[in-house]
Amino acid sequence: SQQGEEDPQALSIQEGENATMNCSYKTSINNLQWYRQNSGRGLVHLILIRSNEREKHSGRLRVTLDTSKKSSSLLITASRAADTASYFCAPRDNYGQNFVFGPGTRLSVLP
Amino acid sequence: DTEVTQTPKHLVMGMTNKKSLKCEQHMGHRAMYWYKQKAKKPPELMFVYSYEKLSINESVPSRFSPECPNSSLLNLHLHALQPEDSALYLCASSQSQLAITDTQYFGPGTRLTVL
């Protein structure tokens, strides 16, 4: 298993703006997943991107993957107050069986 | 039903108490997980059950005792806890621990306070 490192650790934006957060990892992966956690709640799976994909969309979410740089980014467009949460990436290689979550990005969307 | 339920939502216990946390899913998932999460930290894996057998114990102290009575239920028995064990305890499930594209479904957590 390997751990992703999210960046920045904290991000504050105004409602309606776009939010971008990044994830870096160390070794080659099979896929990378993003999860969201609202304060004091469980994590929710957002999106999975496979190593042979470069970009994936889901609603207002856009995820990109650059395997040469070992990094991924999550873009949230037209942010809302309800997007205020911590966001975690989970890189999955072909050997690790479990998720190891990094410190996450704490996003605050201000009204 | 894509929900993982956890009870209780909140639990306050003394250091000499014995209590249990419960987790249930009806998605037919064969892997279930316990995580511990301290404030402003990521979830840390404690235990994994795969096909009702304990697959992984991440060197968790014996005062935490997991149990998987059947494929839908997961318990965490607590005994002689310390104040530093106060945290949010999250349960999760997934179709199979071994599937690389497996995604995890999390419950809302139990907020545990040890006095």
Side-chain angles (χ1 to χ4, degrees):
Chain A
S1 303
Q2 65 171 304
Q3 178 177 331
E5 290 286 334
E6 298 88 351
D7 173 69
Q9 291 203 1
L11 178 62
S12 287
I13 59 173
Q14 296 294 131
E15 212 165 16
E17 293 180 340
N18 295 342
T20 300
M21 55 204 83
N22 305 296
C23 169
S24 60
Y25 55 90
K26 291 192 167 65
T27 61
S28 61
I29 59 171
N30 176 283
N31 66 85
L32 186 141
Q33 302 181 29
W34 285 91
Y35 286 78
R36 181 189 74 224
Q37 184 179 32
N38 291 92
S39 180
R41 305 286 293 172
L43 281 70
V44 174
H45 178 257
L46 295 177
I47 200 163
L48 179 154
I49 187 165
R50 298 173 191 266
S51 59
N52 61 353
E53 297 175 310
R54 291 296 166 258
E55 188 170 311
K56 204 160 181 181
H57 296 256
S58 176
R60 293 183 297 112
L61 305 181
R62 189 189 105 182
V63 169
T64 61
L65 180 64
D66 187 335
T67 53
S68 66
K69 294 182 179 177
K70 293 186 174 56
S71 68
S72 173
S73 66
L74 171 66
L75 168 67
I76 304 173
T77 60
S79 61
R80 305 166 182 169
D83 295 325
T84 294
S86 290
Y87 292 81
F88 298 96
C89 69
R92 306 298 307 281
D93 56 35
N94 288 317
Y95 310 103
Q97 296 178 352
N98 301 309
F99 292 90
V100 182
F101 293 102
T105 291
R106 290 190 304 280
L107 173 65
S108 297
V109 180
L110 307 173
Chain B
D1 183 0
T2 59
E3 193 180 20
V4 175
T5 59
Q6 289 188 244
T7 55
K9 289 185 180 178
H10 300 275
L11 178 62
V12 179
M13 60 186 290
M15 290 190 284
T16 59
N17 292 157
K18 284 185 181 180
K19 297 285 186 182
S20 296
L21 309 185
K22 296 185 187 302
C23 173
E24 190 166 5
Q25 57 89 14
H26 295 288
M27 293 177 278
H29 289 171
R30 303 315 301 267
M32 296 186 78
Y33 309 78
W34 280 115
Y35 290 86
K36 173 183 177 180
Q37 186 177 26
K38 302 283 274 185
K40 298 191 176 180
K41 297 289 187 184
E44 293 181 358
L45 184 66
M46 300 175 72
F47 301 104
V48 181
Y49 272 83
S50 181
Y51 291 85
E52 299 158 51
K53 287 185 168 34
L54 184 63
S55 168
I56 291 178
N57 175 342
E58 293 284 2
S59 303
V60 178
S62 59
R63 56 186 184 269
F64 295 91
S65 175
E67 179 196 18
C68 189
N70 60 57
S71 60
S72 300
L73 290 173
L74 185 65
N75 298 322
L76 186 62
H77 303 297
L78 314 172
H79 173 56
L81 294 193
Q82 305 295 311
E84 59 264 29
D85 296 321
S86 299
L88 181 68
Y89 287 84
L90 294 165
C91 173
S93 71
S94 68
Q95 284 194 327
S96 169
Q97 183 193 4
L98 299 177
I100 297 298
T101 56
D102 209 28
T103 59
Q104 294 194 0
Y105 292 77
F106 284 79
T110 293
R111 174 74 61 189
L112 174 67
T113 302
V114 181
L115 301 176

